Amino acid sequence: MYLLTFTFYIANFDFMNYLDVINEQSRIRNFSIIAHIDHGKSTLSDRLLQITNAISERDFHNQMLDSMDIEQERGITIKTQNATIFYESKDGEKFALNLLDTPGHVDFSYEVSRALMACEGVLLVIDASQGVEAQTIANMYMALEHDLEIIPVLNKIDLPSADVDNVNLQIEHDLGLDSEMSVPVSAKEGIGIEDLLEAIIKYCPKPKGDSKAPLKALIFDAKFDPYRGVHVFIRVFDGSISPGDEILFMQTGKVHKVEEVGILQIKQVPTKELSTGMVGYVIANVKGLEDTKIGDTITLSDNPCETELPGFKEVKPFVFCSIFPAEGDDYKLLTDSLNKLKLNDASLIYQPESSLALGFGYRCGFLGLLHLEIIQERLEREFNLDIVTTAPSVEYIFVLTSGDEIMVNNPINYPEPTKIKDAKEPFVDVNIITPEEYVGNVMQVVIDRRGIQKHINYLDNKRVQLDYEIPLAEIVYDFQDKIKSVSRGYASFDYHFLEYRKSDLVKVDILVNKKKVDALSMIMHREKSQIKSRAVVEKLKDNIPRHMFQIPIQASINGSIIARENVKALRKNVTAKCYGGDISRKRKLLEKQKKGKKRMRQIGEVEIPQEAFMSILKTDIE
């Protein structure tokens, strides 16, 4: 545990003294913590929980709000987590502070946008040694879109490399915010946390809403409990909700009776009601996963509100891949697992699909490659599923000779080449911030990815902002890793969708033992098709086990082979029993073996192991 510079005065938090606070709008503050990845959001959440005694010293561990094993192991936040903390200000007034800790990685920006809908203010955490980075700017604009009060927080001021004065200048110059509002803290050492709590009370607006109006509450998250059904996490905008109320889910039209309401203090704490302005949970015996939709509005069935809340923007996935159960019998389990994950992760999109090689599965859409990896890992860990995933791709537009336009995110749906008039691929606007000395290295990576330079802006004498237009397919694999590698970890990037542009696209088919494997097909730019195909067949050669016959692995475009590797045959020594004698006797045995291998090659089946599919995901292609 970190050495903290503050003292715990209360061993057990007295919740009863604060019950009246959650029913007074003027003493409620709803705020979210947003930042670039690794700027210290989770550590800051830990300190806020500790200093307000929301968690005892005995029960504390690092990353308290990161409840999943994957989050703990990787050191990243994947899910938005909320907790209600209580604080008595220096003036002696008690407040209920609803904290929402959000992810920092660009792949989970949808989680951030949903959390912001439940807030009036945000803490924009900035590393005092790193300064303003790409995702810092993106998150700030997201907060401005929701018209939230932004409180800059300078974290890690205890580091020798911290430069508070320079970062305050960046806050003024790069973000256009008032640096007078910034609060210097060290989340690790616990420095400045009380000043931050005072700033939240001072600058974060109290929630608006009419406590006497009909109930109007927004569902911003949910989770499935096998014993009590769906737990719905809400923000109450008008009215109040109590156990025994009959509530209406306005999008689905379903009515449920409330069993329990409450707030979250690491664990769920039941209360008598959730009033206007509060964030909490509702348990209403919702058994069907299809009955709950993230972004839906909850109201009372006998006294409904007139209009729904706007909800959330429809999420648009960037990366697509197919997920199949390794065992065909697990298809129903995969279906149930994806339904439960969808409830917990609204950005996941999927639809049924079948493959000749892999059977029945689902075509899934993700916000990025990290999102794909996390979903895959959660399926394996939380639901004990053994799955096979195909190579990821993006969504393309094909204009046919008939004049029709079709969207294709799966190579199986690639149209006949003779019917294609034009092909378009998605481009994204990429914003990269890097120290000046690494500009050349970063530019080389972007050029290799077919990037088109737009602007170079020197933010100060140390940092440079590079704006590029890059095909989305070029950044979904390992672009972030490459950028971090060539800049020694200092560069950061953010991207958003720009438009579809004409491109020379081809479909590469992979043949194993001269049989096309549909699950391995890929759509890519012609310029890089040969290099990428060669890398793929080499990976497959290393991962497909040897058989008694030679296995050719080929990549082809429209029937023309562009890359080939062979998995050598296992050879039985059929001449071992021949001790001397005429050479014709050995030749006769070898010829017989040759004919047998030829026949085996014609009728033999080659099973492709899961490792072979996974190896394509990890293929390092320049």
Side-chain angles (χ1 to χ4, degrees):
M1 190 184 300
Y2 297 119
L3 294 173
L4 304 179
T5 57
F6 54 83
T7 308
F8 296 101
Y9 295 103
I10 306 173
N12 294 308
F13 177 72
D14 190 359
F15 174 67
M16 299 302 294
N17 291 334
Y18 286 83
L19 276 175
D20 58 328
V21 176
I22 63 175
N23 296 320
E24 290 189 34
Q25 282 176 247
S26 62
R27 293 198 282 171
I28 297 171
R29 299 291 186 271
N30 299 314
F31 69 97
S32 183
I33 303 179
I34 59 175
H36 186 84
I37 193 169
D38 289 334
H39 278 211
K41 297 178 303 303
S42 296
T43 309
L44 181 60
S45 299
D46 288 346
R47 297 295 86 77
L48 289 170
L49 292 170
Q50 283 186 302
I51 202 168
T52 55
N53 301 291
I55 185 71
S56 67
E57 191 172 0
R58 182 184 64 184
D59 295 331
F60 174 77
H61 61 77
N62 291 328
Q63 295 175 260
M64 278 300 303
L65 292 179
D66 293 342
S67 55
M68 288 188 282
D69 292 340
I70 309 173
E71 293 178 309
Q72 297 281 339
E73 290 170 14
R74 293 191 177 217
I76 60 174
T77 301
I78 296 167
K79 280 290 301 170
T80 295
Q81 300 288 350
N82 62 295
T84 301
I85 57 178
F86 297 96
Y87 175 68
E88 186 172 335
S89 69
K90 292 177 180 178
D91 298 334
E93 195 171 358
K94 297 173 182 177
F95 290 88
L97 310 177
N98 292 309
L99 152 70
L100 288 94
D101 183 24
T102 65
H105 197 280
V106 64
D107 281 14
F108 304 106
S109 56
Y110 189 61
E111 285 286 327
V112 180
S113 69
R114 285 162 45 208
L116 297 184
M117 287 286 287
C119 301
E120 280 76 35
V122 295
L123 304 183
L124 182 60
V125 181
I126 304 166
D127 189 328
S129 61
Q130 300 277 357
V132 172
E133 299 200 59
Q135 196 64 20
T136 312
I137 298 172
N139 282 333
M140 184 201 70
Y141 282 124
M142 203 182 297
L144 290 174
E145 283 178 17
H146 289 81
D147 196 25
L148 303 180
E149 188 66 44
I150 301 172
I151 305 170
V153 180
L154 273 60
N155 193 19
K156 306 185 184 181
I157 60 171
D158 58 305
L159 295 179
S161 57
D163 189 348
V164 174
D165 293 336
N166 185 45
V167 176
N168 272 325
L169 288 175
Q170 293 177 21
I171 289 171
E172 296 269 2
H173 179 267
D174 300 352
L175 304 179
L177 300 176
D178 184 4
S179 62
E180 293 293 323
M181 289 177 61
S182 66
V183 184
V185 303
S186 169
K188 179 179 177 181
E189 299 295 338
I191 301 169
I193 303 300
E194 288 196 12
D195 293 337
L196 179 58
L197 287 165
E198 293 291 333
I200 293 168
I201 292 168
K202 180 180 178 181
Y203 294 120
C204 186
K206 65 181 181 181
K208 298 176 182 178
D210 185 355
S211 59
K212 296 181 181 179
L215 172 67
K216 183 186 285 187
L218 176 74
I219 301 175
F220 67 88
D221 206 353
K223 72 173 184 179
F224 183 76
D225 184 324
Y227 300 102
R228 305 190 70 183
V230 179
H231 293 206
V232 178
F233 300 103
I234 64 168
R235 157 69 197 272
V236 182
F237 284 91
D238 289 322
S240 62
I241 182 170
S242 309
D245 289 344
E246 287 197 345
I247 54 173
L248 169 69
F249 287 49
M250 296 187 75
Q251 286 187 20
T252 61
K254 297 293 179 70
V255 176
H256 299 277
K257 188 172 183 178
V258 178
E259 293 181 356
E260 181 180 305
V261 301
I263 60 174
L264 281 100
Q265 279 199 308
I266 309 302
K267 296 180 180 178
Q268 294 180 176
V269 180
T271 58
K272 291 182 180 179
E273 69 172 3
L274 285 178
S275 58
T276 303
M278 276 302 292
V279 174
Y281 71 92
V282 174
I283 301 174
N285 197 29
V286 183
K287 297 298 183 185
L289 297 172
E290 67 282 353
D291 293 344
T292 307
K293 293 187 182 297
I294 304 301
D296 196 357
T297 302
I298 291 178
T299 188
L300 295 177
S301 61
D302 57 352
N303 185 23
C305 58
E306 292 183 1
T307 58
E308 293 184 41
L309 290 161
F312 306 107
K313 291 180 182 177
E314 191 67 31
V315 63
K316 182 174 177 62
F318 287 117
V319 181
F320 297 84
C321 89
S322 298
I323 297 179
F324 298 90
E327 299 292 333
D329 295 341
D330 289 338
Y331 177 70
K332 188 177 185 306
L333 177 58
L334 176 63
T335 304
D336 294 340
S337 303
L338 286 172
N339 285 337
K340 290 174 183 176
L341 275 185
K342 172 70 175 176
L343 184 70
N344 194 238
D345 184 352
S347 58
L348 174 65
I349 290 173
Y350 58 92
Q351 60 184 27
E353 183 192 46
S354 62
S355 162
L356 292 174
L358 298 171
F360 291 100
Y362 285 91
R363 187 70 178 173
C364 303
F366 308 91
L367 297 184
L369 207 61
L370 177 62
H371 188 206
L372 186 160
E373 289 179 20
I374 295 299
I375 292 295
Q376 177 187 332
E377 205 163 333
R378 289 186 69 183
L379 285 170
E380 291 172 346
R381 288 189 183 203
E382 297 176 23
F383 303 100
N384 199 26
L385 268 169
D386 190 10
I387 59 174
V388 177
T389 56
T390 62
S393 67
V394 300
E395 193 164 44
Y396 301 98
I397 293 177
F398 289 94
V399 182
L400 305 181
T401 51
S402 62
D404 296 332
E405 282 192 2
I406 59 171
M407 305 286 288
V408 175
N409 60 51
N410 190 338
I412 294 174
N413 300 325
Y414 185 85
E416 286 290 329
T418 55
K419 295 180 180 179
I420 298 174
K421 181 181 178 182
D422 281 316
K424 298 177 184 179
E425 67 175 326
F427 272 69
V428 290
D429 203 346
V430 175
N431 170 254
I432 302 170
I433 295 178
T434 179
E436 186 182 18
E437 60 264 36
Y438 303 116
V439 168
N441 295 346
V442 171
M443 290 177 74
Q444 188 58 53
V445 172
V446 177
I447 290 168
D448 291 342
R449 305 298 176 104
R450 298 189 283 136
I452 302 167
Q453 185 177 305
K454 287 174 59 185
H455 305 290
I456 296 182
N457 180 25
Y458 282 79
L459 299 173
D460 50 41
N461 58 354
K462 292 182 180 178
R463 297 175 307 128
V464 181
Q465 179 177 318
L466 305 172
D467 291 329
Y468 280 89
E469 294 173 357
I470 306 177
L472 178 60
E474 298 288 348
I475 72 167
V476 296
Y477 281 90
D478 59 350
F479 185 73
Q480 177 161 347
D481 294 340
K482 291 291 183 186
I483 290 291
K484 289 289 184 185
S485 177
V486 300
S487 65
R488 298 186 181 179
Y490 287 107
S492 62
F493 91 103
D494 180 58
Y495 66 89
H496 63 268
F497 176 76
L498 191 62
E499 63 182 355
Y500 277 87
R501 294 183 183 172
K502 285 187 180 181
S503 186
D504 187 7
L505 301 174
V506 294
K507 178 187 177 186
V508 176
D509 291 312
I510 303 297
L511 292 84
V512 177
N513 198 25
K514 298 184 179 179
K515 293 181 181 178
K516 192 182 294 184
V517 182
D518 55 355
L520 295 178
S521 297
M522 297 170 287
I523 300 174
M524 62 182 69
H525 193 271
R526 188 183 297 274
E527 180 185 302
K528 291 197 170 183
S529 59
Q530 193 159 9
I531 299 170
K532 289 187 176 183
S533 298
R534 191 176 297 121
V536 168
V537 296
E538 286 175 0
K539 279 285 185 180
L540 287 172
K541 174 195 169 186
D542 295 336
N543 285 276
I544 292 178
R546 294 169 68 184
H547 289 56
M548 293 301 293
F549 53 92
Q550 179 177 288
I551 303 170
I553 303 171
Q554 301 162 304
S556 74
I557 298 176
N558 295 336
S560 300
I561 304 299
I562 60 171
R564 172 174 175 145
E565 290 288 341
N566 293 320
V567 179
K568 291 184 179 179
L570 290 169
R571 180 178 181 273
K572 180 181 178 182
N573 189 358
V574 293
T575 62
K577 60 185 179 182
C578 298
Y579 297 98
D582 191 79
I583 187 65
S584 60
R585 192 171 165 215
K586 292 184 179 180
R587 190 176 291 123
K588 184 179 178 182
L589 290 169
L590 290 170
E591 286 295 327
K592 185 178 179 182
Q593 184 187 46
K594 185 178 178 181
K595 288 180 181 178
K597 284 187 178 292
K598 184 178 179 181
R599 183 168 177 271
M600 286 175 69
R601 186 164 61 247
Q602 290 172 344
I603 66 171
E605 291 292 332
V606 178
E607 286 194 9
I608 303 174
Q610 182 181 356
E611 292 74 21
F613 289 95
M614 292 305 301
S615 68
I616 296 177
L617 290 179
K618 298 169 183 171
T619 302
D620 188 15
I621 302 168
E622 290 294 339

mmCIF file with all atom_site columns, all heavy atoms in Angstrom, residues 415-427:
data_model
loop_
_atom_site.group_PDB
_atom_site.id
_atom_site.type_symbol
_atom_site.label_atom_id
_atom_site.label_alt_id
_atom_site.label_comp_id
_atom_site.label_asym_id
_atom_site.label_entity_id
_atom_site.label_seq_id
_atom_site.pdbx_PDB_ins_code
_atom_site.Cartn_x
_atom_site.Cartn_y
_atom_site.Cartn_z
_atom_site.occupancy
_atom_site.B_iso_or_equiv
_atom_site.pdbx_formal_charge
_atom_site.auth_seq_id
_atom_site.auth_comp_id
_atom_site.auth_asym_id
_atom_site.auth_atom_id
_atom_site.pdbx_PDB_model_num
ATOM 1   N N   . PRO A 1 415 ? -18.369 -8.865  -52.884 1.00 0.00 ? 415 PRO A N   1
ATOM 2   C CA  . PRO A 1 415 ? -19.096 -9.130  -54.133 1.00 0.00 ? 415 PRO A CA  1
ATOM 3   C C   . PRO A 1 415 ? -18.186 -9.685  -55.224 1.00 0.00 ? 415 PRO A C   1
ATOM 4   O O   . PRO A 1 415 ? -16.962 -9.631  -55.131 1.00 0.00 ? 415 PRO A O   1
ATOM 5   C CB  . PRO A 1 415 ? -19.641 -7.744  -54.509 1.00 0.00 ? 415 PRO A CB  1
ATOM 6   C CG  . PRO A 1 415 ? -18.739 -6.778  -53.833 1.00 0.00 ? 415 PRO A CG  1
ATOM 7   C CD  . PRO A 1 415 ? -18.237 -7.437  -52.590 1.00 0.00 ? 415 PRO A CD  1
ATOM 8   N N   . GLU A 1 416 ? -18.790 -10.210 -56.276 1.00 0.00 ? 416 GLU A N   1
ATOM 9   C CA  . GLU A 1 416 ? -18.031 -10.707 -57.427 1.00 0.00 ? 416 GLU A CA  1
ATOM 10  C C   . GLU A 1 416 ? -17.211 -9.566  -58.028 1.00 0.00 ? 416 GLU A C   1
ATOM 11  O O   . GLU A 1 416 ? -17.735 -8.469  -58.259 1.00 0.00 ? 416 GLU A O   1
ATOM 12  C CB  . GLU A 1 416 ? -18.992 -11.244 -58.489 1.00 0.00 ? 416 GLU A CB  1
ATOM 13  C CG  . GLU A 1 416 ? -19.630 -12.576 -58.149 1.00 0.00 ? 416 GLU A CG  1
ATOM 14  C CD  . GLU A 1 416 ? -18.632 -13.711 -58.201 1.00 0.00 ? 416 GLU A CD  1
ATOM 15  O OE1 . GLU A 1 416 ? -17.689 -13.624 -59.008 1.00 0.00 ? 416 GLU A OE1 1
ATOM 16  O OE2 . GLU A 1 416 ? -18.779 -14.654 -57.413 1.00 0.00 ? 416 GLU A OE2 1
ATOM 17  N N   . PRO A 1 417 ? -15.909 -9.803  -58.267 1.00 0.00 ? 417 PRO A N   1
ATOM 18  C CA  . PRO A 1 417 ? -15.046 -8.719  -58.790 1.00 0.00 ? 417 PRO A CA  1
ATOM 19  C C   . PRO A 1 417 ? -15.588 -8.076  -60.069 1.00 0.00 ? 417 PRO A C   1
ATOM 20  O O   . PRO A 1 417 ? -15.412 -6.875  -60.283 1.00 0.00 ? 417 PRO A O   1
ATOM 21  C CB  . PRO A 1 417 ? -13.716 -9.433  -59.044 1.00 0.00 ? 417 PRO A CB  1
ATOM 22  C CG  . PRO A 1 417 ? -13.712 -10.596 -58.105 1.00 0.00 ? 417 PRO A CG  1
ATOM 23  C CD  . PRO A 1 417 ? -15.138 -11.029 -58.002 1.00 0.00 ? 417 PRO A CD  1
ATOM 24  N N   . THR A 1 418 ? -16.256 -8.858  -60.908 1.00 0.00 ? 418 THR A N   1
ATOM 25  C CA  . THR A 1 418 ? -16.776 -8.312  -62.168 1.00 0.00 ? 418 THR A CA  1
ATOM 26  C C   . THR A 1 418 ? -17.947 -7.356  -61.949 1.00 0.00 ? 418 THR A C   1
ATOM 27  O O   . THR A 1 418 ? -18.296 -6.587  -62.838 1.00 0.00 ? 418 THR A O   1
ATOM 28  C CB  . THR A 1 418 ? -17.231 -9.457  -63.092 1.00 0.00 ? 418 THR A CB  1
ATOM 29  O OG1 . THR A 1 418 ? -18.177 -10.283 -62.390 1.00 0.00 ? 418 THR A OG1 1
ATOM 30  C CG2 . THR A 1 418 ? -16.037 -10.296 -63.525 1.00 0.00 ? 418 THR A CG2 1
ATOM 31  N N   . LYS A 1 419 ? -18.555 -7.415  -60.747 1.00 0.00 ? 419 LYS A N   1
ATOM 32  C CA  . LYS A 1 419 ? -19.708 -6.565  -60.472 1.00 0.00 ? 419 LYS A CA  1
ATOM 33  C C   . LYS A 1 419 ? -19.342 -5.295  -59.705 1.00 0.00 ? 419 LYS A C   1
ATOM 34  O O   . LYS A 1 419 ? -20.204 -4.481  -59.392 1.00 0.00 ? 419 LYS A O   1
ATOM 35  C CB  . LYS A 1 419 ? -20.750 -7.351  -59.671 1.00 0.00 ? 419 LYS A CB  1
ATOM 36  C CG  . LYS A 1 419 ? -21.353 -8.527  -60.431 1.00 0.00 ? 419 LYS A CG  1
ATOM 37  C CD  . LYS A 1 419 ? -22.382 -9.252  -59.579 1.00 0.00 ? 419 LYS A CD  1
ATOM 38  C CE  . LYS A 1 419 ? -22.994 -10.430 -60.340 1.00 0.00 ? 419 LYS A CE  1
ATOM 39  N NZ  . LYS A 1 419 ? -23.974 -11.166 -59.512 1.00 0.00 ? 419 LYS A NZ  1
ATOM 40  N N   . ILE A 1 420 ? -18.042 -5.147  -59.367 1.00 0.00 ? 420 ILE A N   1
ATOM 41  C CA  . ILE A 1 420 ? -17.604 -3.998  -58.577 1.00 0.00 ? 420 ILE A CA  1
ATOM 42  C C   . ILE A 1 420 ? -17.227 -2.845  -59.498 1.00 0.00 ? 420 ILE A C   1
ATOM 43  O O   . ILE A 1 420 ? -16.370 -2.981  -60.370 1.00 0.00 ? 420 ILE A O   1
ATOM 44  C CB  . ILE A 1 420 ? -16.412 -4.366  -57.678 1.00 0.00 ? 420 ILE A CB  1
ATOM 45  C CG1 . ILE A 1 420 ? -16.821 -5.461  -56.686 1.00 0.00 ? 420 ILE A CG1 1
ATOM 46  C CG2 . ILE A 1 420 ? -15.911 -3.137  -56.919 1.00 0.00 ? 420 ILE A CG2 1
ATOM 47  C CD1 . ILE A 1 420 ? -15.675 -5.987  -55.855 1.00 0.00 ? 420 ILE A CD1 1
ATOM 48  N N   . LYS A 1 421 ? -17.868 -1.698  -59.286 1.00 0.00 ? 421 LYS A N   1
ATOM 49  C CA  . LYS A 1 421 ? -17.528 -0.488  -60.034 1.00 0.00 ? 421 LYS A CA  1
ATOM 50  C C   . LYS A 1 421 ? -16.494 0.342   -59.266 1.00 0.00 ? 421 LYS A C   1
ATOM 51  O O   . LYS A 1 421 ? -15.487 0.782   -59.822 1.00 0.00 ? 421 LYS A O   1
ATOM 52  C CB  . LYS A 1 421 ? -18.785 0.347   -60.275 1.00 0.00 ? 421 LYS A CB  1
ATOM 53  C CG  . LYS A 1 421 ? -18.536 1.617   -61.079 1.00 0.00 ? 421 LYS A CG  1
ATOM 54  C CD  . LYS A 1 421 ? -19.846 2.402   -61.254 1.00 0.00 ? 421 LYS A CD  1
ATOM 55  C CE  . LYS A 1 421 ? -19.599 3.703   -62.018 1.00 0.00 ? 421 LYS A CE  1
ATOM 56  N NZ  . LYS A 1 421 ? -20.856 4.489   -62.137 1.00 0.00 ? 421 LYS A NZ  1
ATOM 57  N N   . ASP A 1 422 ? -16.736 0.567   -57.981 1.00 0.00 ? 422 ASP A N   1
ATOM 58  C CA  . ASP A 1 422 ? -15.819 1.323   -57.127 1.00 0.00 ? 422 ASP A CA  1
ATOM 59  C C   . ASP A 1 422 ? -15.796 0.694   -55.736 1.00 0.00 ? 422 ASP A C   1
ATOM 60  O O   . ASP A 1 422 ? -16.778 0.063   -55.309 1.00 0.00 ? 422 ASP A O   1
ATOM 61  C CB  . ASP A 1 422 ? -16.252 2.785   -56.987 1.00 0.00 ? 422 ASP A CB  1
ATOM 62  C CG  . ASP A 1 422 ? -15.873 3.616   -58.207 1.00 0.00 ? 422 ASP A CG  1
ATOM 63  O OD1 . ASP A 1 422 ? -14.737 3.460   -58.680 1.00 0.00 ? 422 ASP A OD1 1
ATOM 64  O OD2 . ASP A 1 422 ? -16.728 4.391   -58.686 1.00 0.00 ? 422 ASP A OD2 1
ATOM 65  N N   . ALA A 1 423 ? -14.692 0.899   -55.025 1.00 0.00 ? 423 ALA A N   1
ATOM 66  C CA  . ALA A 1 423 ? -14.567 0.449   -53.635 1.00 0.00 ? 423 ALA A CA  1
ATOM 67  C C   . ALA A 1 423 ? -14.133 1.636   -52.784 1.00 0.00 ? 423 ALA A C   1
ATOM 68  O O   . ALA A 1 423 ? -13.332 2.464   -53.226 1.00 0.00 ? 423 ALA A O   1
ATOM 69  C CB  . ALA A 1 423 ? -13.561 -0.690  -53.530 1.00 0.00 ? 423 ALA A CB  1
ATOM 70  N N   . LYS A 1 424 ? -14.683 1.712   -51.577 1.00 0.00 ? 424 LYS A N   1
ATOM 71  C CA  . LYS A 1 424 ? -14.337 2.808   -50.669 1.00 0.00 ? 424 LYS A CA  1
ATOM 72  C C   . LYS A 1 424 ? -13.965 2.236   -49.309 1.00 0.00 ? 424 LYS A C   1
ATOM 73  O O   . LYS A 1 424 ? -14.565 1.264   -48.845 1.00 0.00 ? 424 LYS A O   1
ATOM 74  C CB  . LYS A 1 424 ? -15.527 3.767   -50.512 1.00 0.00 ? 424 LYS A CB  1
ATOM 75  C CG  . LYS A 1 424 ? -15.974 4.446   -51.801 1.00 0.00 ? 424 LYS A CG  1
ATOM 76  C CD  . LYS A 1 424 ? -17.189 5.313   -51.542 1.00 0.00 ? 424 LYS A CD  1
ATOM 77  C CE  . LYS A 1 424 ? -17.729 5.940   -52.827 1.00 0.00 ? 424 LYS A CE  1
ATOM 78  N NZ  . LYS A 1 424 ? -18.934 6.757   -52.578 1.00 0.00 ? 424 LYS A NZ  1
ATOM 79  N N   . GLU A 1 425 ? -12.987 2.874   -48.666 1.00 0.00 ? 425 GLU A N   1
ATOM 80  C CA  . GLU A 1 425 ? -12.613 2.448   -47.320 1.00 0.00 ? 425 GLU A CA  1
ATOM 81  C C   . GLU A 1 425 ? -12.691 3.637   -46.370 1.00 0.00 ? 425 GLU A C   1
ATOM 82  O O   . GLU A 1 425 ? -12.563 4.793   -46.793 1.00 0.00 ? 425 GLU A O   1
ATOM 83  C CB  . GLU A 1 425 ? -11.212 1.830   -47.297 1.00 0.00 ? 425 GLU A CB  1
ATOM 84  C CG  . GLU A 1 425 ? -10.073 2.766   -47.587 1.00 0.00 ? 425 GLU A CG  1
ATOM 85  C CD  . GLU A 1 425 ? -8.725  2.077   -47.422 1.00 0.00 ? 425 GLU A CD  1
ATOM 86  O OE1 . GLU A 1 425 ? -8.594  1.207   -46.546 1.00 0.00 ? 425 GLU A OE1 1
ATOM 87  O OE2 . GLU A 1 425 ? -7.800  2.425   -48.184 1.00 0.00 ? 425 GLU A OE2 1
ATOM 88  N N   . PRO A 1 426 ? -12.916 3.378   -45.069 1.00 0.00 ? 426 PRO A N   1
ATOM 89  C CA  . PRO A 1 426 ? -13.066 4.477   -44.109 1.00 0.00 ? 426 PRO A CA  1
ATOM 90  C C   . PRO A 1 426 ? -11.729 5.139   -43.770 1.00 0.00 ? 426 PRO A C   1
ATOM 91  O O   . PRO A 1 426 ? -10.722 4.458   -43.577 1.00 0.00 ? 426 PRO A O   1
ATOM 92  C CB  . PRO A 1 426 ? -13.660 3.787   -42.880 1.00 0.00 ? 426 PRO A CB  1
ATOM 93  C CG  . PRO A 1 426 ? -13.227 2.367   -42.994 1.00 0.00 ? 426 PRO A CG  1
ATOM 94  C CD  . PRO A 1 426 ? -13.130 2.064   -44.454 1.00 0.00 ? 426 PRO A CD  1
ATOM 95  N N   . PHE A 1 427 ? -11.726 6.453   -43.719 1.00 0.00 ? 427 PHE A N   1
ATOM 96  C CA  . PHE A 1 427 ? -10.576 7.225   -43.269 1.00 0.00 ? 427 PHE A CA  1
ATOM 97  C C   . PHE A 1 427 ? -10.908 7.880   -41.939 1.00 0.00 ? 427 PHE A C   1
ATOM 98  O O   . PHE A 1 427 ? -12.060 8.236   -41.671 1.00 0.00 ? 427 PHE A O   1
ATOM 99  C CB  . PHE A 1 427 ? -10.218 8.304   -44.297 1.00 0.00 ? 427 PHE A CB  1
ATOM 100 C CG  . PHE A 1 427 ? -9.263  7.847   -45.365 1.00 0.00 ? 427 PHE A CG  1
ATOM 101 C CD1 . PHE A 1 427 ? -9.664  6.925   -46.321 1.00 0.00 ? 427 PHE A CD1 1
ATOM 102 C CD2 . PHE A 1 427 ? -7.960  8.320   -45.408 1.00 0.00 ? 427 PHE A CD2 1
ATOM 103 C CE1 . PHE A 1 427 ? -8.794  6.495   -47.312 1.00 0.00 ? 427 PHE A CE1 1
ATOM 104 C CE2 . PHE A 1 427 ? -7.075  7.899   -46.396 1.00 0.00 ? 427 PHE A CE2 1
ATOM 105 C CZ  . PHE A 1 427 ? -7.485  6.984   -47.348 1.00 0.00 ? 427 PHE A CZ  1
#
